[in-house]
Amino acid sequence: MPMIDRQGRKITYLRVSVTDRCDLRCVYCMAEDTRFLPKAEVLTIEELDRLCRVFVRKGIRKIRLTGGEPLVRRNVMALIAGMGDLVADGSLDELTLTTNGTHLARHAEALAAAGMRRINVSLDTLDPVRFQGLTRWGRLDQVMNGIMAAKAAGLAVKINAVALKGVNEDEFDRLVDWCGRQVFDLCLIETMPLGEIHADRIDQYLPLSEVRARLERNWTLKATDYRTGGPARYVEVAETGRRLGFITPMSHNFCESCNRVRITCSGTLFPCLGQEEAIDLKQPLRSSESDLPLELAIDRAVDRKPEGHDFVIERDGVPTVHRPMSVTGG
Ligand code: SAM
Ligand code: SF4
């Protein structure tokens, strides 16, 4: 039975945060002293595997693993191999990953071997000094090695870059050009008011409408009807032939076609990224060997999927949603 919510939206896409931990501290995502969950609260790899399989039985066709940084989770490759088997036997259409790329060089071949075809790598700048500043201590060369290893392993790479006022706003032409030459798609993301990060988000917020207008001075952006069911709206860059996506979560233009739900690494299901509404799946998962309580909890959650979100960046920088992206995984 497919999962269909009250608005008639078919839920086919699951994003799974496999850890809240990360080896970087991107300034818009985490505070330097972010505290992570105690181990006991985090689902084991076996529990995550079981949870994903229940969702697949309930009609999920696409899974994206995220975090925190998914590739810092010990034994995450066992989960990926297990999900890869579901792709191989046709129960799942696609398995993908969003990563910061720091550990990609080591894992790229295994990811491809597990049946992964595409990955998203987050990269906000091509400047090593800026990269270090933005991530607080990251090394650009490590990420570049990871990206090139992914490309060599045959994975299609999409680069995600968050648009930050006064930080990387002079780099978008360069990113479009670089992605074109590397044959990567690029997605630009507006900052979202999630989590407390000790910075005034109004200062970082850069509307993508402005970015797009500036890009159009140098590039021919052709309309496409390519859609993923998510918030991104895509154009094709005529000069490079690559797709360029704009994720503007502050606008409500995608909620009506939203096909996704998210689970955190501690087994909380969020039917909507932009609402506090949450349903605990850890208790039904841990309390019974039968999957029935879990299935009932998932049904209740889908039934409560909100019609839309209500992000607002307020002057005082108080986020409307208090959990950071590293918890729900973006
Ligand atoms: N660590 C992985 C990575 O960076 O790709 C996966 C998790 S990260 C939370 C997923 C995506 O969320 C990244 O592309 C990151 O840039 C984005 N992100 C994090 N905080 C954000 C925020 N406040 N607004 C917009 N995007 C954000
Ligand atoms: Fe880590 Fe990704 Fe958040 Fe950066 S955006 S701190 S890499 S989870």
Side-chain angles (χ1 to χ4, degrees):
M1 260 299 273
M3 296 180 282
I4 297 176
D5 75 0
R6 286 181 185 220
Q7 275 74 41
R9 295 170 298 192
K10 201 166 157 191
I11 310 303
T12 54
Y13 180 3
L14 177 68
R15 293 175 83 105
V16 185
S17 174
V18 300
T19 177
D20 62 331
R21 283 166 201 267
C22 187
D23 53 343
L24 301 180
R25 295 286 183 281
C26 302
V27 291
Y28 49 79
C29 180
M30 290 191 192
E32 192 161 359
D33 57 356
T34 295
R35 285 219 221 115
F36 299 109
L37 289 168
K39 264 223 171 82
E41 281 190 38
V42 176
L43 300 185
T44 64
I45 290 291
E46 293 72 23
E47 287 170 332
L48 284 167
D49 182 275
R50 180 178 159 206
L51 198 51
C52 288
R53 284 172 196 272
V54 170
F55 272 101
V56 169
R57 281 210 303 278
K58 292 188 71 60
I60 289 294
R61 300 296 312 172
K62 175 171 171 181
I63 293 182
R64 177 175 296 279
L65 303 179
T66 176
E69 173 46 40
L71 296 181
V72 303
R73 175 81 199 252
R74 198 179 305 152
N75 223 7
V76 72
M77 290 312 293
L79 178 68
I80 290 171
M83 296 298 104
D85 290 343
L86 296 180
V87 175
D89 74 15
S91 336
L92 197 58
D93 294 332
E94 192 169 34
L95 173 68
T96 55
L97 176 77
T98 300
T99 174
N100 65 22
T102 56
H103 293 271
L104 202 47
R106 197 153 38 95
H107 292 299
E109 294 226 342
L111 293 174
M116 216 175 262
R117 294 185 291 269
R118 304 189 300 131
I119 55 164
N120 289 359
V121 183
S122 302
L123 182 65
D124 306 322
T125 173
L126 293 168
D127 179 294
V129 176
R130 227 177 236 188
F131 183 82
Q132 189 175 25
L134 258 173
T135 57
R136 290 206 177 85
W137 52 68
R139 280 187 25 226
L140 183 65
D141 59 340
Q142 205 180 344
V143 172
M144 282 295 173
N145 287 342
I147 292 174
M148 293 310 154
K151 185 178 173 183
L155 295 164
V157 175
K158 184 167 83 183
I159 300 294
N160 280 343
V162 177
L164 298 158
K165 196 168 167 178
V167 179
N168 62 356
E169 61 179 311
D170 57 349
E171 270 199 80
F172 301 128
D173 284 314
R174 191 174 168 210
L175 273 168
V176 168
D177 177 56
W178 180 74
C179 286
R181 279 184 288 113
Q182 294 296 335
V183 203
F184 299 155
D185 287 343
L186 172 65
C187 222
L188 300 175
I189 310 174
E190 250 170 28
T191 46
M192 286 183 246
L194 300 175
E196 329 273 348
I197 49 150
H198 316 311
D200 193 330
R201 281 175 205 275
I202 287 266
D203 293 338
Q204 296 181 343
Y205 179 63
L206 177 64
L208 287 187
S209 51
E210 208 175 306
V211 174
R212 184 176 170 151
R214 281 191 233 160
L215 283 172
E216 279 175 333
R217 290 182 207 148
N218 298 318
W219 306 94
T220 317
L221 306 184
K222 293 195 305 188
T224 68
D225 50 13
Y226 177 77
R227 287 271 198 287
T228 59
R233 289 290 172 266
Y234 287 90
V235 295
E236 192 189 297
V237 183
E239 288 81 358
T240 66
R242 302 314 306 169
R243 271 186 210 123
L244 171 63
F246 296 91
I247 300 190
T248 52
M250 311 295 290
S251 55
H252 284 248
N253 62 4
F254 61 94
C255 297
E256 73 283 352
S257 61
C258 179
N259 60 356
R260 54 193 62 189
V261 292
R262 301 157 197 273
I263 44 179
T264 67
C265 61
S266 54
T268 306
L269 191 151
F270 286 99
C272 172
L273 177 63
Q275 299 274 0
E276 299 283 0
E277 178 89 53
I279 291 91
D280 174 48
L281 299 181
K282 183 163 51 181
Q283 198 275 335
L285 181 77
R286 289 191 172 166
S287 65
S288 170
E289 279 187 14
S290 156
D291 289 334
L292 191 62
L294 199 51
E295 288 174 13
L296 293 174
I298 294 170
D299 288 341
R300 270 200 305 280
V302 168
D303 193 52
R304 278 157 57 184
K305 185 170 163 66
E307 205 173 328
H309 61 64
D310 41 39
F311 289 132
V312 185
I313 293 186
E314 287 152 24
R315 216 327 134 198
D316 60 2
V318 175
T320 46
V321 172
H322 292 269
R323 61 195 139 77
M325 193 77 110
S326 52
V327 171
T328 33

